[in-house]
Amino acid sequence: MEPLYQYAWLIPVLPLFGAVVVGSGLISFTETTNRLRRVNAVFIMALLAISMVYSLAIFWSQAQGHEPYQQMIGWVAAGSFQLSMGFMVDHLASLMLVVVTTVAFLVMLYTDGYMAHDPGYVRFYAYLSLFSSSMLGLVLSPNLIQVYIFWELVGMCSYLLVGFWYNRKSAAAAAQKAFVTNRVGDFGLLLGLLGLFWATGSFDFGIMGDRLVELVNGGLLNPGIASFIAILVFLGPVAKSAQFPLHVWLPDAMEGPTPISALIHAATMVAAGVFLIARMFPVFEPLPVVMTTIAWTGAFTAFLGATIAITQNDIKKSLAYSTISQLGYMVMGMGVGAYTAGLFHLMTHAYFKAMLFLGSGSVIHGMEGAVGHNPELAQDMRYMGGLRRYMPITGITFLIGCLAISGIPPFAGFWSKDEILGAVFNANPAMWVLTWLTAGLTAFYMFRMYFMTFEGGFRGVPAEIAAVHSDHGHGEHDDHGGEEHLHESPWTMTLPLAVLALPSIFVGLVGTPFKNYFEAFIHAPGELLEAAHDVDFAEFYILGGSSVGIALIGITLASFMYLQGKIDPGAIAAKIKPLYQFSLNKWYFDELYEAVFIKGCRRIARQVLEVDYNVVDGVVNLTGFVTMITGEGLKYFQTGRAQAYALIVFLAVLGFVIFSSQA
């Protein structure tokens, strides 16, 4: 069994090799490489498939009781300082390897249909492979410094993928926004990383936690300083997992192609933040202030994302705010000590959210001809409706995803979300009320999305709206809409949807309170975390019933508004217009950040420029001017005649004597 673990480093290296080979071909033999598009795609997918099979084998080995495996090599040595690099395989890493490779492989398969006519087809596959490699390297990292290296690689790949269509101004701006926002969190992570090394002398996850506890308990380190360092580390996950207040980049990241939206916002980049919280749990768990901060950050983010999603009309952006909300649940679960519950929801969410994003891409693909090939209109749910008749596979799988994320049993989302809510209820009832209401909002906006997209009659694009977009060069006025253009997506797109529907339905059954195989597999670290315990079924039925009840209320309300037409949402919006605008404009965070940070930084930059121009440059220019003037004046005294120099000396001495006699 040991050879299986000794070569685990191949899991991230294989997709990296594929990205390097295809990327080198694009640089050196651009035309030939682009002509062999299918060959390159199959090559990259084959390498990732090997990594996926390898990951499944390691997961099976870990499930059978194999001990965690770690292999290290010396990297940097300076005096007593030693830094090693390598890889570590344990239960958490094996789980994440399976989640990342399976979702990434299905996304690559889906990409063949979605990007079939895109001139950047091969380049997109190279980026996907590099992104998958970076995430897999992060998962296998045995220490915090190696995590940070792959953390930044994931950020770089997200920049490339979000801005893939770089000729679109909106895509380029979204890539920059994602990159800059994540740099804020990553700077905090870097400071926290250095602070932990200063305090503990190690980058190893387990050693850092143990030493930090010893230092705090022994009075050698102030608990406030330890908490501050840990919160700095937490800033990294705040940015990567789009938590308040660094959540603003994720909805804009929808400017990238839909396959990368599914990969980034389901199983990789945003999951990296929750994964790091899990890895750093030995550091966070002994510090109550840090745990409370994590819990309330997640709870508020969950509520924030849900309240914005209920008014969004862009199908991808609505799913983006849904992702923000669900990530908030995971972070909150970690914050209240429900370690396994947070990871369980990470796994279930990865599958049903990937399916929902890929489903939205299938909808957009089917809508393109009906809206004059205008990407903005193809994503607007107000111009959809009745698509289930034309896209049955997409419609059925999307409905499964909506049921799963709404927490309807026996779908996967019910078991994982209910476990988090149960832990939150025991830790903080006020927080439970907030997130219980959020569960109702989740069901409402998801079924609002489903009903507007797949049920009723097809609405299409009004001629006047199509004309406006046509006048701006976005679409074709003569071909602004029609049911005859609607169609199901090709099998390369529908097959991944069907495959992802299976875990969206069944994977939650591994974590039921009746027999929690997931908790038994993960083995939460730390003595104070929840362990396998006898379930209070009365509490489970009450809390589970209440969460299902609030979800059913949300679904029923969405049905009355968007399916049966018994309630007019427009009339409600008019009556509570300030609240409606507050939600529609995303709590005005973008406007606030524009006014405070962007314009504020520009004002500071202008003031610094004035100081540089008037003070710094002024001093330099004055020095040069004085030198020039003095040099210009002194040149007349440099005649080269000895008599003149002697006369000057004589006059100077005479003047000195006269001055001395007068004094």
Side-chain angles (χ1 to χ4, degrees):
M1 188 62 70
E2 288 304 315
L4 178 68
Y5 288 85
Q6 290 173 0
Y7 294 98
W9 53 269
L10 285 171
I11 293 174
V13 167
L14 286 174
L16 175 63
F17 176 71
V20 169
V21 171
V22 175
S24 299
L26 285 171
I27 293 172
S28 305
F29 310 100
T30 306
E31 293 185 7
T32 303
T33 304
N34 280 318
R35 280 200 302 269
L36 298 173
R37 45 201 285 138
R38 277 290 174 83
V39 174
N40 285 293
V42 171
F43 172 65
I44 283 178
M45 290 177 63
L47 291 175
L48 187 62
I50 296 172
S51 294
M52 180 176 66
V53 173
Y54 204 157
S55 299
L56 289 168
I58 286 179
F59 176 79
W60 178 255
S61 173
Q62 288 288 299
Q64 296 304 306
H66 192 285
E67 291 295 318
Y69 181 87
Q70 181 170 304
Q71 183 172 314
M72 306 293 290
I73 58 171
W75 187 42
V76 175
S80 60
F81 176 74
Q82 301 284 335
L83 181 60
S84 298
M85 306 293 276
F87 63 89
M88 176 177 67
V89 178
D90 59 1
H91 289 187
L92 174 58
S94 64
L95 172 70
M96 290 298 298
L97 287 175
V98 170
V99 170
V100 172
T101 52
T102 52
V103 173
F105 179 78
L106 291 171
V107 166
M108 285 189 180
L109 178 61
Y110 177 96
T111 297
D112 178 67
Y114 190 85
M115 303 287 286
H117 304 293
D118 195 288
Y121 177 95
V122 177
R123 177 167 60 94
F124 191 70
Y125 267 99
Y127 287 170
L128 282 179
S129 191
L130 181 61
F131 187 86
S132 301
S133 173
S134 301
M135 185 64 194
L136 292 169
L138 189 152
V139 166
L140 289 172
S141 297
N143 55 52
L144 190 54
I145 194 70
Q146 193 170 327
V147 163
Y148 188 78
I149 293 171
F150 284 104
W151 188 271
E152 293 303 319
L153 282 173
V154 168
M156 180 201 72
C157 293
S158 71
Y159 173 80
L160 295 174
L161 286 162
V162 172
F164 179 77
W165 288 317
Y166 54 83
N167 54 333
R168 294 184 187 175
K169 186 177 180 180
S170 57
Q176 293 177 27
K177 186 175 183 179
F179 191 80
V180 171
T181 305
N182 275 275
R183 294 292 71 72
V184 175
D186 292 357
F187 183 63
L189 174 59
L190 177 61
L191 293 178
L193 179 154
L194 297 174
L196 283 173
F197 182 76
W198 164 77
T200 65
S202 175
F203 292 113
D204 184 86
F205 298 113
I207 294 175
M208 285 190 299
D210 293 339
R211 288 184 182 174
L212 200 66
V213 172
E214 292 175 4
L215 292 170
V216 172
N217 293 340
L220 300 176
L221 182 65
N222 187 285
I225 295 176
S227 298
F228 178 70
I229 293 172
I231 289 174
L232 285 175
V233 173
F234 175 58
L235 281 178
V238 166
K240 273 289 188 291
S241 290
Q243 298 296 286
F244 168 83
L246 300 179
H247 64 283
V248 292
W249 67 269
L250 193 144
D252 292 66
M254 296 299 105
E255 292 292 339
T258 299
I260 197 55
S261 299
L263 189 59
I264 286 180
H265 304 138
T268 54
M269 181 170 172
V270 295
V274 180
F275 171 79
L276 182 58
I277 296 175
R279 275 283 184 240
M280 295 298 296
F281 215 84
V283 172
F284 294 151
E285 189 270 337
L287 303 170
V289 173
V290 178
M291 295 293 282
T292 301
T293 301
I294 293 173
W296 276 109
T297 299
F300 182 75
T301 303
F303 180 73
L304 168 71
T307 56
I308 297 175
I310 59 176
T311 58
Q312 301 305 304
N313 295 312
D314 185 303
I315 189 170
K316 286 179 66 177
K317 287 194 175 181
S318 185
L319 286 173
Y321 281 106
S322 170
T323 299
I324 292 173
S325 183
Q326 295 304 304
L327 289 166
Y329 273 102
M330 300 174 209
V331 172
M332 176 183 64
M334 293 286 183
V336 298
Y339 175 87
T340 54
L343 288 175
F344 189 29
H345 198 52
L346 169 63
M347 179 185 72
T348 60
H349 176 265
Y351 290 113
F352 61 68
K353 184 52 67 66
M355 182 177 64
L356 286 167
F357 267 115
L358 295 183
S360 71
S362 181
V363 168
I364 295 167
H365 184 268
M367 282 284 294
E368 284 180 344
V371 294
H373 300 281
N374 184 291
E376 294 179 15
L377 300 182
Q379 296 177 195
D380 197 320
M381 294 183 290
R382 291 172 295 183
Y383 309 129
M384 300 177 186
L387 298 187
R388 181 171 53 84
R389 295 192 297 276
Y390 308 95
M391 311 176 69
I393 298 176
T394 302
I396 292 170
T397 54
F398 203 93
L399 176 61
I400 291 171
C402 289
L403 290 167
I405 196 173
S406 298
I408 303 299
F411 297 91
F414 166 74
W415 304 106
S416 55
K417 187 187 291 187
D418 184 72
E419 189 174 350
I420 292 175
L421 288 174
V424 172
F425 180 81
N426 293 320
N428 191 317
M431 189 182 296
W432 176 83
V433 171
L434 181 66
T435 49
W436 176 72
L437 292 173
T438 301
L441 291 174
T442 301
F444 172 79
Y445 68 68
M446 288 306 303
F447 275 86
R448 169 183 179 266
M449 192 185 311
Y450 174 77
F451 293 142
M452 289 181 70
T453 303
F454 293 99
E455 300 298 337
F458 180 69
R459 292 179 289 276
V461 184
E464 60 274 14
I465 295 178
V468 170
H469 286 270
S470 178
D471 291 342
H472 286 81
H474 295 297
E476 301 174 7
H477 177 53
D478 295 333
D479 188 23
H480 61 76
E483 296 185 51
E484 67 275 9
H485 298 285
L486 300 173
H487 58 86
E488 182 62 278
S489 299
W491 73 268
T492 52
M493 295 174 67
T494 54
L495 179 61
L497 291 174
V499 172
L500 286 168
L502 296 176
S504 299
I505 299 172
F506 298 113
V507 78
L509 298 178
V510 303
T512 68
F514 310 104
K515 191 67 176 178
N516 199 331
Y517 298 102
F518 185 88
E519 185 173 356
F521 173 75
I522 288 296
H523 293 305
E527 297 180 359
L528 299 181
L529 301 184
E530 86 270 279
H533 55 276
D534 294 331
V535 179
D536 184 346
F537 285 103
E539 179 181 297
F540 165 70
Y541 291 132
I542 293 172
L543 293 179
S546 65
S547 64
V548 173
I550 192 71
L552 291 175
I553 291 172
I555 295 172
T556 303
L557 189 59
S559 173
F560 285 157
M561 287 186 177
Y562 300 101
L563 181 62
Q564 303 177 42
K566 293 182 178 180
I567 301 176
D568 183 6
I572 296 176
K575 290 181 179 179
I576 54 170
K577 191 171 183 179
L579 290 176
Y580 174 76
Q581 290 295 328
F582 191 65
S583 171
L584 186 64
N585 290 285
K586 300 163 283 190
W587 287 37
Y588 295 101
F589 275 108
D590 287 332
E591 290 80 1
L592 176 64
Y593 290 176
E594 172 79 20
V596 176
F597 296 111
I598 298 177
K599 292 182 178 178
C601 287
R602 287 174 181 168
R603 283 194 294 268
I604 293 173
R606 283 193 294 267
Q607 292 172 359
V608 170
L609 179 63
E610 290 294 324
V611 172
D612 178 69
Y613 183 79
N614 294 320
V615 178
V616 178
D617 286 355
V619 170
V620 173
N621 293 337
L622 178 62
T623 303
F625 178 75
V626 170
T627 303
M628 181 185 70
I629 294 300
T630 53
E632 188 71 23
L634 289 173
K635 75 177 183 180
Y636 294 106
F637 295 95
Q638 304 298 317
T639 62
R641 296 178 179 178
Q643 299 92 330
Y645 296 154
L647 178 61
I648 292 172
V649 171
F650 173 75
L651 292 175
V653 171
L654 180 62
F656 179 73
V657 171
I658 293 173
F659 177 77
S660 299
S661 63
Q662 293 290 333

